[in-house]
Amino acid sequence: MSKKMRTLTEPFKIKMVEPLRITTEEYRQNALEKAGYNPFLLRSDDVFIDLLTDSGTGAMSDKQWGGIMMGDESYAGARSWEHLQTVVQNLTGMQYVLPTHQGRAAERILYSILGGKGKVFISNTHFDTTRANIEYVGSEAYDIVCKEAEDVESYHAFKGNIDLEKLETLIQQHGKNIAAIIMTVTNNSSGGQPVSMKNMKDVRAICTKYGLMMVIDGCRIAENSYYVKHREEGFENKTYKEIAQEMLNLGDAFIMSAKKDGMVNIGGLLTLKDEALSVKCKNLLIISEGFTTYGGLSGRDMEALAIGLEEVFDKDYLHYRIRSTAYLGEKLREKGIPVVWPIGGHAVYIDAKKLYQNVPLEEYPGQALVIDLYLKGGIRCVEVGSVMFGKYDENGKLIPAANELVRMALPRRVYTQSHLDYVLDVFDDIIEIKDRKKGFKITYEPPFLRHFTAHFEPIK
Ligand SMILES: *Cc1c(COP(=O)(O)O)cnc(C)c1O
């Protein structure tokens, strides 16, 4: 193909289409009022470009849809299960494979067995459901992402890495109470930033030295392999799959939400090296998810996942995937929109505190940007700031989150470059109103995870 090509050139063509509804600003104003100005409460039919999440929102290939028809729905020992098991064993180098309905089911099973009162888990960054499952069983979760990640604007090739010094210190402090070290790859809650092979190998060495278990939360292991190949010395000539295999082999256990790099709309995996632990996990799997050869999945789900786990390592797909996220982020930066840098694999994060400088933190600048993006362009995304993580002091005053970000996550194989160009156009409208002075107040909020169901009102 032409070397001069500047377009993203999606490495697929379209065989089936899903219509998008184009609405007016007045229509969207009305929809927002009905939804209490919370994007989670909007109807998807009222959204034009949906960047709420990359979880379970991807498009399957013709091969996967073909696999759906071939799914073996036998209760035990189904062909589709054998297919999935073979693919996963080959990828992870781990013998014991447990299918689950989602990533969090795998987390609940493993962490309720490893955890308990007084136990400690340490991670580069625990994802929300990971932390919730750990805390639910009375354990503590420590996040120790590397120092370079603190500065959101400076470049560093592997901002998802764990801080090895802090890791050693925490191990000295907590000793025998440590249940596991969890490496999240890529580091979702820290901007989708990658983890280097070197960092993973160092963690492996530390785990071996202290006799600790290393769990890899590898929802986006293929995306991570892209960065290792292109940013880390010594991997230029390896395939993405070889890099993933090398990395996963370092772990004692692997957890995956298949809704990400599994390229399917539902599914999860728990994979283990240790037989005794796998027996305990299988017992819990049977009680709550289903028999060991289907977990919470149908045969056709497992067939599509087995195929998806091969497709995700296709070099043209991964290039398109990582480049389209970077394209959106780089073009926004060129327009002067402050973004978390460098751009991660699955999402672009905008610094709303910087963009909407005049909106006080108590009036949620991130929420204001989320609402403006929907109102101006029918784009749906999510606030990752004080709405999500803010707390109140004893006088009811907001203690803001560390950052006021807005996340635009890209579903896999769903949107084309022209959709992204449209999003960029909408930001020209945002730039015109960036000096807005007022934001939003919360009129209703539940006690936990308020961002999902809270209601808001614009401050006049
Ligand atoms: C999505 C995700 C999970 C949870 O998986 P679900 O399939 O949503 O239950 C866990 N860890 C990470 C890093 C994730 O991105």
Side-chain angles (χ1 to χ4, degrees):
M1 299 231 271
S2 159
K3 281 236 155 59
K4 290 210 186 88
M5 207 116 71
R6 282 180 190 86
T7 40
L8 284 168
T9 57
E10 293 83 13
F12 49 80
K13 57 184 177 175
I14 295 162
K15 176 136 56 182
M16 190 190 287
V17 295
E18 182 179 349
L20 289 173
R21 204 147 62 97
I22 296 177
T23 53
T24 61
E25 194 166 323
E26 294 71 47
Y27 181 92
R28 294 191 293 269
Q29 177 60 46
N30 197 283
L32 276 173
E33 281 165 27
K34 278 196 206 143
Y37 292 90
N38 184 339
F40 283 100
L41 304 179
L42 287 168
R43 298 170 61 236
S44 72
D45 267 352
D46 292 340
V47 176
F48 186 53
I49 305 285
D50 204 345
L51 307 180
L52 193 63
T53 175
D54 68 323
S55 178
T57 51
M60 292 206 295
S61 66
D62 51 356
K63 216 168 158 193
Q64 285 178 295
W65 280 108
I68 292 273
M69 299 306 291
M70 301 294 287
D72 175 0
E73 305 302 341
S74 305
Y75 192 94
R79 269 190 318 278
S80 301
W81 157 246
E82 285 179 355
H83 183 190
L84 176 62
Q85 186 182 33
T86 307
V87 168
V88 176
Q89 283 172 334
N90 172 269
L91 178 64
T92 60
M94 299 185 193
Q95 193 179 345
Y96 304 101
V97 181
L98 285 70
T100 60
H101 80 280
Q102 277 194 228
R104 68 195 68 183
E107 293 178 331
R108 184 183 58 80
I109 289 170
L110 183 62
Y111 301 140
S112 65
I113 289 169
L114 296 179
K117 268 220 152 26
K119 292 280 184 187
V120 167
F121 291 81
I122 306 168
S123 176
N124 48 349
T125 313
H126 294 85
F127 181 65
D128 339 3
T129 59
T130 318
R131 175 176 285 279
N133 273 296
I134 287 169
E135 291 177 350
Y136 189 74
V137 296
S139 306
E140 270 183 286
Y142 289 95
D143 290 337
I144 46 165
V145 73
C146 64
K147 286 189 273 301
E148 291 84 355
E150 278 165 29
D151 182 352
V152 295
E153 275 180 271
S154 70
Y155 180 86
H156 183 265
F158 292 101
K159 277 185 171 178
N161 284 352
I162 199 168
D163 185 323
L164 295 166
E165 263 174 50
K166 283 190 189 154
L167 178 58
E168 291 257 12
T169 312
L170 279 175
I171 292 173
Q172 307 292 350
Q173 277 168 11
H174 295 280
K176 282 202 176 54
N177 290 330
I178 297 172
I181 312 301
I182 304 171
M183 292 300 287
T184 312
V185 178
T186 57
N187 196 339
N188 184 359
S189 303
S190 183
Q193 298 290 332
V195 180
S196 71
M197 188 74 83
K198 170 150 195 331
N199 195 246
M200 292 293 274
K201 285 187 173 160
D202 289 343
V203 171
R204 175 70 265 172
I206 291 172
C207 285
T208 304
K209 177 171 153 195
Y210 294 100
L212 296 172
M213 180 162 178
M214 177 173 173
V215 181
I216 301 177
D217 179 352
C219 301
R220 298 179 183 79
I221 187 71
E223 293 177 6
N224 200 83
S225 300
Y226 184 92
Y227 293 105
V228 170
K229 183 176 168 93
H230 297 282
R231 291 184 184 172
E232 196 167 352
E233 227 180 281
F235 294 93
E236 303 81 2
N237 299 321
K238 297 224 161 118
T239 64
Y240 296 122
K241 191 170 169 190
E242 285 165 350
I243 293 168
Q245 285 168 322
E246 184 174 339
M247 191 171 272
L248 294 177
N249 259 297
L250 297 169
D252 299 301
F254 166 60
I255 278 183
M256 180 181 209
S257 165
K259 301 170 76 173
K260 287 50 173 269
D261 275 353
M263 310 284 269
V264 289
N265 304 113
I266 197 74
L269 290 167
L270 168 58
T271 307
L272 300 150
K273 278 189 181 153
D274 183 69
E275 188 183 2
L277 181 58
S278 80
V279 171
K280 283 190 198 164
C281 290
K282 278 180 186 172
N283 287 335
L284 211 48
L285 183 79
I286 294 173
I287 292 173
S288 57
E289 288 280 304
F291 186 60
T292 55
T293 64
Y294 72 87
L297 300 174
S298 62
R300 63 183 86 100
D301 289 333
M302 294 190 285
E303 197 62 46
L305 174 54
I307 298 166
L309 281 174
E310 303 272 14
E311 285 182 354
V312 74
F313 290 105
D314 179 84
K315 69 177 190 353
D316 297 326
Y317 161 73
L318 268 181
H319 182 75
Y320 148 80
R321 169 71 179 159
I322 302 296
R323 281 306 307 154
S324 30
T325 313
Y327 173 86
L328 179 61
E330 285 163 11
K331 295 275 178 201
L332 283 175
R333 200 180 199 222
E334 283 168 26
K335 281 185 193 287
I337 304 286
V339 291
V340 174
W341 197 254
I343 302 300
H346 68 290
V348 174
Y349 292 75
I350 297 155
D351 186 346
K353 200 191 301 192
K354 246 193 170 160
L355 183 64
Y356 281 180
Q357 283 181 6
N358 299 329
V359 177
L361 298 186
E362 295 72 32
E363 297 181 14
Y364 305 107
Q367 191 68 15
L369 178 57
V370 164
I371 296 306
D372 286 345
L373 281 165
Y374 178 72
L375 193 61
K376 295 291 170 196
I379 300 164
R380 174 156 74 169
C381 43
V382 63
E383 193 256 22
V384 182
S386 294
V387 173
M388 202 180 263
F389 299 122
K391 299 209 161 73
Y392 295 113
D393 69 10
E394 61 270 26
N395 302 318
K397 196 173 156 22
L398 179 79
I399 309 169
N403 293 301
E404 304 294 336
L405 303 178
V406 166
R407 185 182 83 171
M408 297 197 295
L410 296 184
R412 292 170 180 75
R413 303 191 288 207
V414 169
Y415 294 119
T416 62
Q417 182 176 3
S418 76
H419 287 120
L420 300 182
D421 285 336
Y422 168 82
V423 174
L424 291 165
D425 287 345
V426 173
F427 269 90
D428 291 337
D429 296 337
I430 296 294
I431 288 168
E432 281 175 18
I433 54 171
K434 73 177 171 44
D435 296 327
R436 62 178 287 162
K437 295 196 171 56
K438 302 212 185 271
F440 285 80
K441 68 173 179 217
I442 295 181
T443 55
Y444 159 78
E445 63 181 294
F448 298 106
L449 296 171
R450 65 176 177 176
H451 57 284
F452 287 122
T453 52
H455 290 188
F456 301 82
E457 234 170 55
I459 292 173
K460 298 254 158 58

